[in-house]
């Protein structure tokens, strides 16, 4: 196999299977982004990459209608599934970006959650052509986690999004998890918190990734909840609010998290919940039963499980 073919395969795998952006690949192998674009085009031309477009099928609309009827959703997307985990994740990210882009004309105040998938969505959104929104705000729904991962550095996500959308950023300079009740109270008494509270009250749209339990990162669950999550059979989390399969949120006196209250989140007109392709039926069903999510985005396989197991 010649060097050129090896390079075409390497670039194609990084882009289509590892879901890296063209800019990321260019940095990693030390070339320009336009060259990466040319290499991807050549990989298709010579048959290394074959792209098959799967048209939305009738049962997708049927599944979405079933989800709406069972769980009182206002809308969302059911995305056709394939045998490839990487393709399914890429489709979830791309279709979520398209869904959000189509909606942005109506958005005047957007709240963003956190997580690996959301970071990918923000990165992809920055790559597409969108009309900038001239008025409005974008803000985080939770403080910043103390881990070296941009996906959980919420102010960084806000910065990346506002630069593309044109929405005015409202930052929150607080950790996601305070160490004590006193520390949490100190943050809640700041002018910055009053500013973020006012931003939350204005929100008409929130975009969150519905996580599982147990989760990575751990969200300081042992410190916050002790054995409560295990005892009350947590199955997932919305931002960092954990819930069980019945859609009941689990509380603890030692939970000093700094995030949007569920009561406030529940009043937002559009709460878009994105479900990773490996989501269990219990995670999906429990989240939809909370009544917080108004629009759900998930794969066809995930939707089938949510409909099939609606009585769990």
């Amino acid at each position: 196999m010649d060097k050129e073919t090896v390079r075409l395969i390497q670039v194609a795998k990084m882009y289509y299977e590892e879901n890296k952006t063209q800019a990321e690949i260019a940095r990693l192998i030390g070339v320009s982004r336009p060259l990466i674009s040319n290499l991807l085009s050549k990989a298709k031309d010579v048959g290394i990459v074959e792209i098959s477009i799967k048209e939305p099928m009738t049962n997708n609309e049927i599944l979405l209608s079933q989800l709406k009827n069972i769980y009182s959703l206002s809308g969302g997307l059911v995305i056709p599934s394939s045998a490839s985990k990487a393709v399914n994740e890429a489709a979830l990210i791309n279709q979520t970006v398209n869904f959000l882009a189509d909606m942005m004309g109506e958005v005047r105040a957007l709240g963003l959650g956190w997580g690996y998938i959301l970071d990918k969505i923000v990165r992809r959104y920055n790559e597409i052509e969108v009309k900038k929104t001239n008025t409005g705000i974008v803000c985080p729904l939770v403080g910043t986690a103390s881990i070296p991962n941009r996906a959980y550095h919420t102010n960084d996500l806000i910065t990346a999004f506002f630069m593309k959308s044109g929405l005015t950023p409202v930052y929150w300079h607080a950790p996601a998890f305070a160490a004590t009740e006193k520390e949490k109270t100190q943050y809640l008494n700041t002018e910055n918190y009053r500013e973020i509270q006012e931003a939350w009250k204005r929100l008409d749209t929130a975009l969150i990734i519905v996580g599982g339990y147990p989760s990575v990162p751990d969200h300081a669950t042992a410190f916050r909840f002790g054995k409560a999550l295990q005892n009350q059979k947590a199955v997932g989390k919305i931002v960092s609010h954990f819930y069980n399969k019945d859609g009941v949120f689990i509380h603890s006196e030692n939970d000093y998290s700094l995030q949007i209250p569920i009561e406030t989140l529940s009043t937002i007109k559009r709460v878009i919940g994105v479900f990773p392709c490996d989501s269990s039926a219990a995670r999906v069903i429990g989240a939809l039963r909370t009544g917080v999510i108004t629009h759900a985005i998930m794969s066809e396989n995930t939707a089938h499980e949510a409909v099939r197991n609606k009585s769990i």
Side-chain angles (χ1 to χ4, degrees):
M1 189 181 300
D2 60 77
K3 290 183 179 180
E4 179 67 9
T5 301
V6 170
R7 183 160 74 159
L8 291 176
I9 293 172
Q10 177 192 22
V11 169
K13 281 181 173 290
M14 293 172 77
Y15 187 75
Y16 291 105
E17 293 185 358
E18 299 175 22
N19 203 32
K20 288 182 168 59
T21 67
Q22 292 183 23
E24 287 176 319
I25 298 170
R27 286 196 300 271
L28 286 170
I29 65 177
V31 298
S32 67
R33 193 203 61 74
L35 178 57
I36 296 300
S37 179
N38 291 336
L39 290 172
L40 290 170
S41 295
K42 188 172 182 179
K44 285 187 283 186
D45 292 340
V46 300
I48 290 173
V49 172
E50 293 183 357
I51 297 177
S52 175
I53 300 174
K54 188 173 181 181
E55 294 285 348
M57 300 173 66
T58 304
N59 68 331
N60 279 356
E61 294 298 327
I62 291 174
L63 277 171
L64 180 58
S65 178
Q66 290 175 320
L67 289 172
K68 290 165 69 175
N69 290 334
I70 295 169
Y71 301 106
S72 300
L73 295 171
S74 297
L77 287 175
V78 174
I79 303 165
S81 299
S82 77
S84 168
K85 180 180 178 181
V87 170
N88 287 338
E89 182 179 288
L92 182 74
I93 291 166
N94 290 333
Q95 291 303 316
T96 300
V97 167
N98 294 337
F99 186 82
L100 184 62
D102 290 342
M103 186 179 286
M104 283 304 293
E106 306 172 29
V107 175
R108 294 295 174 266
L110 173 67
L112 295 180
W114 58 2
Y116 164 78
I117 297 291
L118 186 58
D119 184 42
K120 293 288 185 181
I121 290 169
V122 170
R123 289 172 184 259
R124 188 70 73 207
Y125 190 86
N126 284 343
E127 293 180 343
I128 67 171
E129 292 296 325
V130 294
K131 182 179 179 180
K132 283 194 174 183
T133 302
N134 294 321
T135 60
I137 62 169
V138 58
C139 70
L141 300 176
V142 61
T144 294
S146 58
I147 57 174
N149 185 332
R150 195 189 86 158
Y152 292 89
H153 294 181
T154 48
N155 286 335
D156 289 348
L157 294 176
I158 297 303
T159 296
F161 192 85
F162 101 81
M163 292 178 68
K164 183 73 173 185
S165 69
L167 294 172
T168 301
V170 179
Y171 296 113
W172 193 15
H173 304 292
F177 312 115
T180 63
E181 183 177 10
K182 181 179 179 181
E183 182 183 335
K184 179 178 179 178
T185 301
Q186 289 174 338
Y187 281 107
L188 298 186
N189 286 331
T190 62
E191 184 61 34
N192 185 213
Y193 181 66
R194 286 186 281 274
E195 183 182 21
I196 203 72
Q197 271 190 309
E198 289 304 312
W200 287 341
K201 291 176 184 177
R202 292 173 56 187
L203 294 180
D204 55 54
T205 308
L207 178 63
I208 61 173
I209 308 303
V210 181
Y213 174 79
S215 62
V216 177
D218 180 63
H219 290 216
T221 55
F223 175 76
R224 294 166 60 197
F225 295 97
K227 297 290 185 180
L229 297 181
Q230 297 96 310
N231 294 341
Q232 297 182 48
K233 299 181 180 179
V235 294
K237 61 183 180 295
I238 293 176
V239 191
S240 191
H241 295 286
F242 289 84
Y243 59 85
N244 63 22
K245 70 177 179 62
D246 297 317
V248 177
F249 287 102
I250 300 170
H251 302 285
S252 168
E253 293 182 355
N254 296 320
D255 182 10
Y256 308 128
S257 58
L258 291 154
Q259 59 181 316
I260 186 170
I262 283 296
E263 296 77 16
T264 306
L265 189 61
S266 300
T267 64
I268 299 172
K269 180 180 178 181
R270 291 178 293 262
V271 178
I272 306 166
V274 181
F275 293 86
C277 298
D278 62 354
S279 298
S280 66
R283 183 203 304 192
V284 178
I285 292 168
L288 299 181
R289 284 175 176 169
T290 66
V292 170
I293 304 233
T294 64
H295 295 70
I297 300 178
M298 65 184 74
S299 71
E300 189 176 78
N301 290 342
T302 304
H304 273 301
E305 290 300 306
V307 171
R308 185 183 299 120
N309 296 285
K310 62 183 179 182
S311 299
I312 66 170

